[in-house]
Amino acid sequence: MTPPLHEAVKAGPVAQVAHEPLLDTVAIAVLASEAEPRWTLSGSADGLRLLRIEAVDSPVEVRLSLPLGDAAGYWHPKAGWARTLVADWEGRSDVGLVDGIAAGCLYDHSGATTLTFGAADPVPEVSIRYGVSEENDTYVVHLHLAASKHPHRFLFVPRSPSVASALGILRRWYADELPALPVPEAARLPLYCTWYAFNQQINAETVEIQAGLAADYGFGALILDDGWQRLGSGRGYAGVGDWVSDPDKFPDFTDHVARVRRTGLRYLAWVAPLLLGRLADCYEQWAPYAPASAGVPGAHVLDPRLPEVRAHVVDTCVRLVRDHGLDGLKVDFLDEAMVYAADGQGDVGRALTLLLSELRTALESVRTDLLLELRQPYVGPGMAAYGNMLRSIDCPADAVANRVRTIDTSLLAVGGAVHSDPLLWDTAAPVEAAARQLIGALHSVPQVSVRLDALPPSHAEALRFWLAQWRLLRPQLVDGSVEPGRPDGLYTLVRSERDGVNVSTVHTDRTIPVLPATHDLTVIVNATDTDRLVLDVQDGAHADIEVRGPSGRVISHDRTELPTGLHSLPVPRMGLALIRNGA
């Protein structure tokens, strides 16, 4: 008798079935309720394997099992802070196009992977059960797949030395298979956002003041966030849906946009096109198309499976960009559409693929160098064609969360530039507080949301310095080979390298391996709470060492010998050391 495909969430054991060897120590069982499933595994030159499952018009369950070994943690795109081992009755994740992707990586205490997989088709919705099987002393992943007329395909990566290296193989496959939206240079430059600085208390004058200052700091674009639209005041979304500017805040929105763009900044506006509030003028017209309440207060969600909704969303977004001369949009709350995922009326991901494809085509007819911001959790490979700015989900003033979330996104990011959540800090705090936020976003494109005209001189100096350092080191920080370490360690030593330059950002008191004779330049960023770094020099060299403080001021500049071994180097917290090969 075939076990049920969807067990209830409980502490009891899962019915046992026979498994077959799949890859390394991973075994597989494939179950279907209506047909006899068939599966095959094929390989490629880089070792990547493609699992193909055929079970036409029948729900399918794929069960993966492997020995625990020295397992340390399990990473997946929706892991959040739960990235260690959990029991299989606890591990649950429902994913789809705008809510993560069916992918995961089990790794051991050395950091090496023992299981790495990802859905080759990132659109369909998948229910996942994962964790430690207490009965069998194994780690299991169960994938519940809806009936389909097409084969189900999953990618598997053999054992790899780290999570980043394993997911990098997946990412390259996605990049080859999923054409991405072009990424203009403005998407790869620091960005100013109004949200944390002003929330909804914005108007044309205040935005234009910030825009002039942002251009001087070297920002490339500005996002006008929530509050620009009519009824855009007060927390909640009861007024959204009409998407027209507030005439009191922006008497001539089109002229305002033009003035900001004349500073040299590109201009994006926030929009949540699937939300519909009861106070909107269009509510009565569109309420029949939005039966479900949103997960945010005051709004319902338009159902993207309806062609009328898709046409309405496209028309609304095109109108905003075309009529006001915008460079693009910050598209928010797409994941709210998942409220319809379990109603049996059709796959939400398939509908959103239609919607977003139509939206891209329509917007590119207006702006060929279009900017579109998406945010976690809808920044996975399946969204590569629809957004070129992939932002961390909200984490105000949390430098640790920004570091972890941007690196998590970058592990499977395809095409688009990974952006931090806008940086917020207390301008009355010491300068180290400002530098800490900027350092937390180093391995992404930094967004900033503080009042630039209210920064104390030391904070303004630090902002200018760290943005300049980021631009100089962007080839390494964003485009280089990045190794952040184990996910459960929260990426406390992130190393990146390219073109003879190595950058290490350290967030805990630990030794830092360096190769000053190998690299032309070694940059070490001290994000710890101590005023010194311990270097593990692995190839001695004559070196030119420059130390700078959190605001960028030079603390010391010496030429010295760095022999192989451990060395304590005085570097102020939130400062950095630049070690140049003196050979």
Side-chain angles (χ1 to χ4, degrees):
M1 179 178 178
T2 301
L5 296 185
H6 296 268
E7 298 94 343
V9 178
K10 60 182 181 179
V14 175
Q16 298 301 301
V17 296
H19 286 68
E20 303 174 64
L22 179 70
L23 176 67
D24 296 329
T25 60
V26 181
I28 185 173
V30 180
L31 313 173
S33 59
E34 303 295 338
E36 185 65 30
R38 294 185 299 122
W39 65 268
T40 57
L41 188 69
S42 57
S44 63
D46 60 2
L48 189 67
R49 308 294 178 84
L50 178 65
L51 173 69
R52 181 184 176 96
I53 300 169
E54 296 187 28
V56 177
D57 291 333
S58 175
V60 174
E61 181 181 358
V62 180
R63 294 186 180 182
L64 306 172
S65 176
L66 68 161
L68 284 174
D70 193 24
Y74 178 70
W75 179 93
H76 61 95
K78 295 175 64 177
W81 300 113
R83 46 191 66 216
T84 53
L85 302 179
V86 300
D88 63 354
W89 48 263
E90 181 182 0
R92 293 290 189 277
S93 183
D94 294 318
V95 301
L97 178 68
V98 293
D99 196 15
I101 182 176
C105 193
L106 183 71
Y107 52 92
D108 63 24
H109 281 83
S110 75
T113 64
T114 55
L115 166 68
T116 304
F117 73 92
D121 307 302
V123 175
E125 293 142 26
V126 181
S127 294
I128 307 172
R129 173 176 179 158
Y130 60 89
V132 176
S133 169
E134 300 171 358
E135 290 75 27
N136 302 302
D137 299 334
T138 57
Y139 196 87
V140 299
V141 177
H142 296 178
L143 306 164
H144 299 278
L145 315 174
S148 172
K149 296 185 181 300
H150 306 286
H152 303 282
R153 302 185 305 152
F154 283 86
L155 303 162
F156 286 83
V157 180
R159 292 179 183 272
S160 296
S162 71
V163 171
S165 62
L167 293 176
I169 295 173
L170 280 184
R171 187 174 66 248
R172 288 189 289 274
W173 186 92
Y174 288 128
D176 289 339
E177 296 291 324
L178 303 172
L181 181 68
V183 184
E185 177 64 8
R188 291 169 40 82
L189 293 175
L191 181 148
Y192 184 81
C193 177
T194 63
W195 177 243
Y196 294 133
F198 297 97
N199 301 118
Q200 296 171 318
Q201 306 307 309
I202 50 177
N203 57 46
E205 181 181 2
T206 56
V207 173
E208 288 166 28
I209 289 171
Q210 302 306 308
L213 294 169
D216 181 63
Y217 275 101
F219 289 89
L222 178 146
I223 287 179
L224 177 65
D225 216 298
D226 186 6
W228 67 269
Q229 74 282 12
R230 193 176 66 83
L231 302 177
S233 60
R235 287 298 179 96
Y237 300 91
V240 300
D242 297 322
W243 303 113
V244 295
S245 60
D246 186 322
D248 294 327
K249 296 178 179 179
F250 299 92
D252 188 332
F253 190 51
T254 304
D255 188 55
H256 157 74
V257 171
R259 288 196 297 272
V260 169
R261 295 186 79 251
R262 283 196 290 271
T263 68
L265 298 180
R266 304 285 294 279
Y267 202 127
L268 297 85
W270 173 84
V271 64
L274 290 179
L275 297 189
L276 179 66
R278 289 185 176 274
L279 300 180
D281 288 346
C282 67
Y283 178 77
E284 294 299 328
Q285 177 185 356
W286 289 102
Y289 301 89
S293 296
V296 295
H300 281 233
V301 187
L302 292 165
D303 187 344
R305 296 171 299 184
L306 303 172
E308 298 92 338
V309 167
R310 296 196 294 272
H312 169 67
V313 168
V314 171
D315 289 346
T316 297
C317 293
V318 169
R319 170 178 58 79
L320 289 174
V321 171
R322 181 193 61 227
D323 292 358
H324 301 301
L326 295 170
D327 294 288
L329 299 169
K330 171 181 177 175
V331 185
D332 212 351
F333 294 120
L334 291 181
D335 49 327
E336 292 295 326
M338 292 298 287
V339 71
Y340 297 112
D343 68 0
Q345 301 301 308
D347 190 290
V348 174
R350 298 293 185 198
L352 284 167
T353 299
L354 292 174
L355 167 59
L356 294 169
S357 297
E358 294 165 4
L359 180 61
R360 172 181 170 175
T361 299
L363 286 174
E364 284 186 318
S365 70
V366 178
R367 283 281 185 195
T368 56
D369 53 352
L370 180 67
L371 296 173
L372 284 177
E373 185 197 88
L374 310 176
R375 63 152 174 83
Q376 288 176 308
Y378 48 91
V379 292
M383 298 294 283
Y386 314 122
N388 46 28
M389 302 160 69
L390 312 176
R391 182 178 64 83
S392 167
I393 199 169
D394 300 24
C395 51
D398 192 335
V400 174
N402 239 339
R403 175 179 82 241
V404 171
R405 291 172 180 175
T406 51
I407 291 174
D408 278 350
T409 297
S410 69
L411 291 174
L412 283 178
V414 177
V418 175
H419 281 231
S420 72
D421 187 49
L423 307 181
L424 162 70
W425 64 83
D426 182 356
T427 56
V431 67
E432 287 82 2
R436 187 184 307 278
Q437 297 297 323
L438 292 157
I439 291 169
L442 272 185
H443 292 273
S444 63
V445 178
Q447 294 194 15
V448 173
S449 190
V450 291
R451 300 190 181 203
L452 299 176
D453 56 341
L455 288 178
S458 62
H459 289 214
E461 188 178 15
L463 177 58
R464 199 173 296 277
F465 169 71
W466 285 104
L467 291 181
Q469 287 297 306
W470 182 88
R471 285 190 292 271
L472 286 172
L473 298 173
R474 186 178 74 171
Q476 291 75 36
L477 297 170
V478 175
D479 301 323
S481 173
V482 179
E483 178 50 68
R486 278 170 41 182
D488 61 319
L490 302 183
Y491 312 130
T492 55
L493 176 60
V494 186
R495 295 172 290 168
S496 54
E497 184 175 340
R498 182 174 174 175
D499 301 331
V501 177
N502 179 274
V503 182
S504 292
T505 307
V506 58
H507 299 268
T508 58
D509 193 11
R510 59 181 295 173
T511 60
I512 306 152
V514 295
L515 298 162
T518 300
H519 300 117
D520 299 326
L521 173 65
T522 300
V523 181
I524 309 176
V525 179
N526 182 11
T528 75
D529 59 357
T530 63
D531 293 320
R532 60 102 176 92
L533 297 171
V534 179
L535 311 184
D536 180 6
V537 178
Q538 299 179 356
D539 59 350
H542 292 287
D544 185 88
I545 303 177
E546 179 181 296
V547 176
R548 290 179 175 261
S551 62
R553 296 183 182 182
V554 176
I555 304 299
S556 64
H557 194 165
D558 301 295
R559 184 174 176 83
T560 187
E561 180 76 19
L562 270 182
T564 300
L566 297 178
H567 299 269
S568 179
L569 180 65
V571 178
R573 65 195 72 188
M574 307 309 136
L576 58 75
L578 300 103
I579 304 173
R580 292 179 173 84
N581 187 339

